[in-house]
Structure formats: structure tokens, C-alpha cells
Amino acid sequence: MTVPMDYLYASRDFRRFLDAVKKQSMRGSHNQSYAMTRAVLHVFRSHVPVKDALAFAEVLPPLLRVIFIEGWDVEAEVTPFPDRETLHREMKAVREPHNTAPETAIGDVAAVLRAEVGEERLRRVLGAMPIGAEDYWLK
């Protein structure tokens, strides 16, 4: 069996993703883009059941998939999606005070992810998830 191209080029593709997030959010470094991306992924994960989170992980590129599941307490309580302001506060609390994400962080990462994965593919996986999941990535 040949090695999937996604795995062969995972580092290159991840660097390209971080470049796009850096540009979209006007961050100064890949470290800031990484911290912001990680926080956005982890906050989303906290609002969907494990089964749905795993379905979402399947559409992510390999290194984003790893970041999405790292350090996951699968027994943690899953809470419904709150309003955007609360989601932003949750995202900013991830690795505080190192997280310098702007107010637009969720939308910035979402825009880059839609371009990377494809909006239709995201819609298919998010459509079966709790209310708020689609809005998180598609608004």
C-alpha cells in the first residue's frame, strides 16, 4: 500500500495552512497562528459529542486532526453552543495569557479551513451535528 499523499505532505500543508491563518488574521508569527488555530479547534470540540467530533476530525488534514484531538478529555461534559461572544471568550481562555487571538479568530480560522477542506464537505459533516456547529465554521 502506498503512503497517502496527505501524510507525505502533512508538514508542508500545515505550514501553508498557518501561513493562510497568519495572513487572514494579521498575526505576526506562525506561533500565534498555531495557538489561535488550536484554541478554535478545541473550543469547537467542547461543544459537540465525541461521535460528532470524530466525524469532524475525519475531514481535517492530518496535522489539524492531531491538534483537534490532542489532550482531549472525552469524558468532559459537552455543553451546547453559546453565543459568539462567549465562544470567543472560551477561545481566548485556551492557553491564556499566551493566546493573542483577535476578535475575528473563529471566523478567520473558519475561513481558512473552508478553503482547505471545502465548504460542501464541511456542510455534509456539520449538518448532522448539534445546533451551532454549522454556524461555528460557516458564518
Side-chain angles (χ1 to χ4, degrees), residues 8-42:
L8 282 176
Y9 298 111
S11 292
R12 178 203 66 190
D13 294 345
F14 182 59
R15 197 170 305 113
R16 187 185 71 236
F17 184 89
L18 290 180
D19 282 339
V21 169
K22 181 179 164 187
K23 182 178 179 182
Q24 178 76 27
S25 64
M26 295 184 278
R27 297 292 86 197
S29 72
H30 283 120
N31 291 334
Q32 291 172 327
S33 299
Y34 164 76
M36 184 171 82
T37 298
R38 181 179 177 273
V40 168
L41 289 169
H42 286 195

Side-chain angles (χ1 to χ4, degrees), residues 55-68:
F56 178 76
E58 282 296 314
V59 303
L60 295 174
L63 293 179
L64 289 178
R65 187 178 312 139
V66 170
I67 293 165
F68 182 69

Side-chain angles (χ1 to χ4, degrees), residues 37-129:
T37 298
R38 181 179 177 273
V40 168
L41 289 169
H42 286 195
V43 166
F44 176 76
R45 180 182 79 191
S46 71
H47 295 290
V48 294
V50 172
K51 177 180 153 277
D52 291 338
L54 290 174
F56 178 76
E58 282 296 314
V59 303
L60 295 174
L63 293 179
L64 289 178
R65 187 178 312 139
V66 170
I67 293 165
F68 182 69
I69 65 169
E70 72 167 335
W72 191 4
D73 177 2
V74 296
E75 295 182 10
E77 179 184 359
V78 175
T79 58
F81 281 94
D83 60 84
R84 198 68 159 192
E85 185 178 316
T86 303
L87 287 168
H88 181 74
R89 280 195 309 272
E90 289 177 10
M91 188 271 311
K92 290 286 285 184
V94 176
R95 289 192 39 88
E96 190 178 44
H98 302 288
N99 188 339
T100 62
E103 294 292 320
T104 58
I106 294 171
D108 291 343
V109 173
V112 176
L113 187 67
R114 284 193 305 273
E116 181 76 20
V117 172
E119 190 166 328
E120 270 312 301
R121 193 169 180 205
L122 278 176
R123 281 190 190 284
R124 278 195 302 275
V125 73
L126 295 171
M129 292 188 187

